[in-house]
Amino acid sequence: MNHGNNASVNRRRGLIPEDLMKFSWLAELAIAPDASQIAYTVRRPHGPSNGYVSHLYLHDLPSDRASRLTDGDCQVSSIAWSRDSSRLAYAHSDADGDSIRVIEIDDDFEATYATDGIPMSGLDWSADGSKLVGVRWTPMRAADDRGPVPGIPKPSIKVVRRLRYKQDGVGWVHDKFKQIWVLELETGDFAQVTHSECDYSEPSWSNNGARLAFIGMAREQNTPLGYGQILTCDYPSGEPELLIPDWQGTAASPVWGAGDRYIAFAGHNKPPPVNRRNFWQPHLADVAARNAWKLGADIDEEVGNYSVADQRVSLSNVTMKWAPGDEWIYFLLTEQGAANLFRINTDGEYERLVSGDSITFEYSPAVGGITAFGQANPANPGDLYIWRSGESKKLTNLNPWLRDHELSTPESYWYDGVDGAKVHAWLIKPINFEAGKAYPHIQYVHCSMFGWDFNHEFQVYANAGYTVAYFNQRGTTAGYGQAWTKASEGDQGGAEYDEIMLGVDELVARPYIDGARMGVTGGSCGGFMTNWVVGHTDRFAAAVTQRSIVNQISFFGTSDIGPECTGGETRTDPWLDLASSWAQSPVAYIDNVNTPLLIIHSDEDHRCALEQAEQMFAALRWRGKPVELVIFEGEDHGLSRGGRPGNRIERHHRILGWFRKHLGTYAVAANPTPGPSPKLQGGEV
C-alpha cells in the first residue's frame, strides 16, 4: 500500500458502509476426528430479510475441495462430528422451524429431528454414536404459580425470583432456564437431564460414554455457583454433582481426557463476589480425587480471543478442546493485541502453534497434532486454515472482492503512558494519505482490547478522510498481564483517562494530525470512556457515545451484569459508598460537557440499559448543550457486530454524519511545527 505523494492513476476506493452486504464470515468449524474433512459455517448478510443466513460447508482434505451442504434461507450452528467421523450433526433453523439434522457422510443421507419450538445448541456426540447432548432454553413453572381460571382474564406479569432475570441478546429469561437435554437418535425422543432453576451449558460426553460433564451457573452471582462451576452425572440415571466441591471460582468449557481420568477447563479459583477482571486460565481436574490445579504456572494471559472488532457476533471464545485419545489440550490465548493458538499437556508443558499480527478466533483439533483454525488480520475478515507438522495452509478465500478495494494498514506502536508505562497503540491513516497535509482525527476508546483483527468500521473512517487511533491503555481486558487489566479497578476514568490523553498528546505532536479537528467515540466501556472524556476536556470537537454507561449507581440494578460488574469495576456497591460510585459516573460531570455529543443506543440493550443513554441525553438537553439521541429499535448491545444489516449500515452513516458536520473530512496544509491548526468548519472531500 502506497501512503506516499504519488496517487495511483487508477485509484481504487476504500470501504463504505454499504460494503457490509458483501462480507462472508467464517463462523464455526469442526475437524473430523480422523482429520479427513473439516465442516464449517459461513455467515452472510441477507438483504430481503434484513438479517443473515449461514450455510454448512465440507472441505475434503485429501482432495482439497469444498462443497456446500445446505441451501435456502437458513441458519446453521452447533456443528459436531460423531467419534467415528461417519456422521455430522448440526442445528438448523429456517422459516419452517428449528431442528437437529444428522448427515451420513458416505451415503449422503440426512435425518431431521424437530425440536418442537425449543432449539437445541452446544451439541456433542456420545461415544457409541447413539445420542446427542445439547442445551435448550426450557420453561420452568414455580410450584405456587396459578393456572388459568375459567371466566377470569389471564394476567400479563413477569415473576422474578433470581438475580439474572434478563440476558442481552436473549431478552427476559425470568421464567426459563438453560437445561441439558439428550436426543436419542434411534427414537427421536428428547430426555431432560437437569431440572433445576440454574443455567446449564457446555455439555461434554465422557470418552466411555457413561458420564456427562457440564457447567452450572446459578442466577445469584454472589455465590460460587453464580460464577459457573463444573458438574458431572452418570447417564441416564445419575444426579448432577459438583466435580470440585471446594472450588470457589469459575469454570468454563469442561472437556474429558483420554481414559476419563482428567477434565480440562478454563477458569480461576478467586472467591465471590464476582470480579470480571480475573483471568480464565488453563486448569486440569482429577475426576476421582475431585480437585484441580492450574496448567502452565507462568501463563499470565487469558484464555480466549478478546479482540474487539465488528466481524464476529461472539467476542471471547473461552474454550478448551481435547481430541479423544490425544495428549494435547488446545486453547486460544490473548497476547498483546493478538489471539494465538496454544496447546498444553497434562504436565503443564505448552507451546504456541499459531501466532503473528493476527486473530485466531476459532479452532478444532484432531488426534495426532492436526488442527483446523479460523484466522483474521487487518486485511482479511477471516479464512479457514489447517495446521499440521508445524505448517499452516490457507483453505478458503471467502472475501475475494476486497482485493478490488484500497485498505489502510494499521501501524502498531508503543507510547509512554502514566509513570512511563508502555502502552500499545495503533494508527490508521486515510486512504491516499499525503505527507505535508493534516487530517481530521477520530480517537476510538475502550476498556476491552483492540487488536490485529479486521475492522470494517475503521476502514470506512479511513476512506472518509480520517486518521483513526486506538490504544490498549491500563484496564484493557486481556493481553498485557493480569496486573495491567486490574490497574483501573476502583479508579474508573482515572489513570486510564490520563493514559489515553498522553497518547492523544503524542498524536497531536505529529504534523499530519489536525489537533483542532479531533473526534472521540467508543462503545460499551468505550462509551463510558467517551462520556468521561467529554466531561473532563474540551479538546475534542465532537463525540459519539455508543451503548454506554453513564451512572454506576443505576447501572447496578438495570444491567444483566450490573451487580457483578459494578463491584468489579468501581470496587464498591453503591449503597456502601455512594460518593465513590457517583465520582466514577460520567453523568456526575455533566456541567463540564461542552463537546457536541451524539448518543447511539439500542432499545433492547440489556447490558447497558437504554435508561443510561436517556439520563445523559436529558441532562445535556436540559442544560441546552448540543446533543442528539439515536435509538435503534429491536437491537441489543451487539448492534455494531450482530445487528440487522440495515441498522449496522445506518449506524455507520450516523457516526460519519456527526463527524463530518463537526470536523469536516478534508485535509489541510500541515503546520510547519507540530500542534493544532486553526479550527475549520464544514467541508467534504
Side-chain angles (χ1 to χ4, degrees):
M1 186 175 302
N2 180 15
H3 284 312
N5 291 317
N6 298 323
S8 172
V9 175
N10 298 314
R11 175 181 172 182
R12 297 182 301 171
R13 73 164 173 85
L15 299 187
I16 60 176
E18 286 74 15
D19 287 330
L20 175 74
M21 302 302 296
K22 301 176 183 177
F23 282 105
S24 294
W25 299 292
L26 176 66
E28 297 182 27
L29 60 93
I31 191 169
D34 65 4
S36 62
Q37 301 182 89
I38 304 170
Y40 61 98
T41 61
V42 176
R43 180 171 174 265
R44 298 182 177 95
H46 185 243
S49 66
N50 193 17
Y52 302 89
V53 296
S54 61
H55 284 288
L56 177 63
Y57 291 77
L58 194 63
H59 189 104
D60 182 75
L61 288 170
S63 66
D64 199 25
R65 299 181 64 181
S67 57
R68 197 174 91 177
L69 303 184
T70 55
D71 53 24
D73 298 339
C74 68
Q75 296 194 44
V76 171
S77 61
S78 297
I79 52 179
W81 286 97
S82 62
R83 302 289 176 91
D84 63 1
S85 303
S86 68
R87 288 177 290 172
L88 181 65
Y90 62 96
H92 183 276
S93 177
D94 61 15
D96 295 328
D98 300 296
S99 62
I100 299 299
R101 301 192 175 186
V102 177
I103 299 174
E104 299 278 354
I105 298 297
D106 290 339
D107 60 13
D108 200 29
F109 172 77
E110 182 175 75
T112 299
Y113 302 87
T115 58
D116 300 323
I118 306 178
M120 190 170 179
S121 62
L123 303 180
D124 191 39
W125 285 83
S126 63
D128 62 3
S130 67
K131 297 177 280 291
L132 284 165
V133 66
V135 177
R136 306 171 80 188
W137 281 103
T138 306
M140 300 191 72
R141 181 176 175 179
D144 59 350
D145 283 352
R146 293 185 297 274
V149 178
I152 304 299
K154 183 179 179 180
S156 299
I157 63 171
K158 295 181 176 75
V159 179
V160 175
R161 296 184 176 91
R162 299 287 183 266
L163 197 54
R164 290 188 180 100
Y165 57 89
K166 58 183 178 179
Q167 182 175 320
D168 189 65
V170 179
W172 284 72
V173 295
H174 63 292
D175 58 351
K176 56 185 177 181
F177 293 79
K178 288 192 291 185
Q179 302 292 310
I180 305 298
W181 290 74
V182 168
L183 169 60
E184 298 281 353
L185 296 176
E186 183 176 348
T187 63
D189 294 333
F190 290 90
Q192 188 172 344
V193 177
T194 57
H195 298 82
S196 66
E197 291 193 355
C198 185
D199 287 320
Y200 298 97
S201 62
E202 301 183 282
S204 175
W205 282 106
S206 63
N207 288 293
N208 68 11
R211 304 186 73 190
L212 287 165
F214 44 85
I215 298 297
M217 181 177 289
R219 292 194 179 168
E220 307 301 337
Q221 290 121 307
N222 57 347
T223 69
L225 195 57
Y227 268 122
Q229 294 197 26
I230 302 170
L231 294 98
T232 60
C233 73
D234 296 331
Y235 185 83
S237 58
E239 290 293 325
E241 61 178 1
L242 286 172
L243 172 65
I244 319 165
D246 59 352
W247 192 259
Q248 292 294 299
T250 182
S253 188
V255 58
W256 298 82
D260 296 332
R261 177 183 175 186
Y262 297 119
I263 289 177
F265 65 97
H268 64 74
N269 201 19
K270 304 290 175 40
V274 172
N275 186 333
R276 294 175 65 84
R277 291 176 176 266
N278 291 323
F279 283 0
W280 279 295
Q281 294 179 324
H283 282 76
L284 194 68
D286 186 308
V287 175
R290 303 180 75 185
N291 58 15
W293 58 94
K294 180 183 173 184
L295 290 175
D298 60 339
I299 293 177
D300 189 31
E301 300 298 350
E302 185 152 27
V303 169
N305 163 33
Y306 288 86
S307 179
V308 175
D310 55 6
Q311 299 303 295
R312 274 161 291 285
V313 177
S314 178
L315 291 180
S316 53
N317 196 1
V318 181
T319 55
M320 307 281 287
K321 298 183 181 181
W322 199 348
D326 200 37
E327 64 173 311
W328 294 103
I329 308 157
Y330 291 75
F331 57 95
L332 300 178
L333 203 65
T334 296
E335 299 181 292
Q336 296 191 355
N340 299 323
L341 178 63
F342 280 72
R343 66 182 183 183
I344 195 167
N345 62 23
T346 56
D347 293 326
E349 299 167 338
Y350 65 91
E351 58 181 326
R352 184 187 293 108
L353 303 182
V354 176
S355 60
D357 294 342
S358 60
I359 297 295
T360 301
F361 56 87
E362 184 59 286
Y363 65 104
S364 177
V367 67
I370 301 174
T371 308
F373 64 96
Q375 188 179 78
N377 60 50
N380 182 359
D383 271 303
L384 176 66
Y385 293 77
I386 186 77
W387 183 95
R388 52 187 161 190
S389 303
E391 299 292 333
S392 295
K393 178 184 177 183
K394 184 179 176 183
L395 301 179
T396 60
N397 184 22
L398 296 180
N399 291 279
W401 64 273
L402 276 172
R403 289 195 297 266
D404 298 327
H405 297 274
E406 192 78 12
L407 299 178
S408 185
T409 303
E411 301 172 9
S412 172
Y413 66 99
W414 297 73
Y415 70 84
D416 291 334
V418 173
D419 298 327
K422 297 297 181 182
V423 179
H424 196 184
W426 288 264
L427 175 70
I428 296 177
K429 293 178 180 176
I431 301 296
N432 298 299
F433 172 85
E434 295 182 41
K437 291 187 176 181
Y439 295 85
H441 176 70
I442 295 175
Q443 185 64 48
Y444 226 103
V445 295
H446 79 117
C447 59
S448 270
M449 190 205 78
F450 291 119
W452 292 105
D453 211 337
F454 184 91
N455 199 304
H456 178 210
E457 180 177 355
F458 292 171
Q459 294 297 330
V460 167
Y461 297 154
N463 184 59
Y466 298 99
T467 60
V468 183
Y470 38 103
F471 311 147
N472 281 342
Q473 77 283 342
R474 65 189 59 217
T476 293
T477 303
Y480 303 88
Q482 179 72 86
W484 189 254
T485 295
K486 283 179 165 286
S488 63
E489 265 187 340
D491 185 34
Q492 295 299 293
E496 59 182 328
Y497 164 75
D498 295 336
E499 211 148 56
I500 288 171
M501 298 313 294
L502 286 171
V504 172
D505 290 341
E506 192 274 344
L507 284 170
V508 171
R510 305 182 186 200
Y512 52 82
I513 303 290
D514 189 341
R517 292 189 296 156
M518 296 194 299
V520 61
T521 187
S524 193
C525 50
F528 166 93
M529 186 53 65
T530 300
N531 297 333
W532 189 272
V533 165
V534 297
H536 288 77
T537 182
D538 292 336
R539 293 184 66 179
F540 294 93
V544 180
T545 184
Q546 307 170 55
R547 56 188 188 279
S548 71
I549 302 167
V550 309
N551 188 333
Q552 300 282 13
I553 298 170
S554 62
F555 180 78
F556 180 97
T558 57
S559 168
D560 64 346
I561 60 170
E564 58 190 276
C565 199
T566 301
E569 300 296 302
T570 67
R571 230 183 252 160
T572 188
D573 291 330
W575 58 89
L576 299 176
D577 193 339
L578 191 63
S580 177
S581 297
W582 183 244
Q584 295 180 73
S585 300
V587 74
Y589 307 95
I590 200 72
D591 286 328
N592 300 331
V593 178
N594 299 304
T595 306
L597 182 65
L598 172 65
I599 304 171
I600 291 179
H601 220 95
S602 300
D603 65 356
E604 293 184 14
D605 188 339
H606 294 306
R607 185 61 40 84
C608 298
L610 180 59
E611 63 89 21
Q612 294 282 307
E614 292 172 323
Q615 286 188 56
M616 195 72 174
F617 174 79
L620 288 172
R621 194 79 183 100
W622 182 255
R623 288 160 173 78
K625 301 294 181 70
V627 62
E628 184 174 305
L629 173 61
V630 176
I631 301 171
F632 283 87
E633 298 179 348
E635 299 290 357
D636 56 34
H637 195 68
L639 165 65
S640 64
R641 54 188 178 265
R644 290 188 285 274
N647 284 343
R648 292 176 68 179
I649 292 168
E650 179 65 17
R651 170 184 166 273
H652 280 312
H653 281 297
R654 290 286 172 174
I655 295 172
L656 278 174
W658 192 257
F659 285 140
R660 281 173 172 149
K661 176 180 179 180
H662 296 283
L663 308 181
T665 60
Y666 52 85
V668 299
N671 288 341
T673 57
S677 62
K679 185 173 181 179
L680 303 174
Q681 299 294 330
E684 297 291 332
V685 171

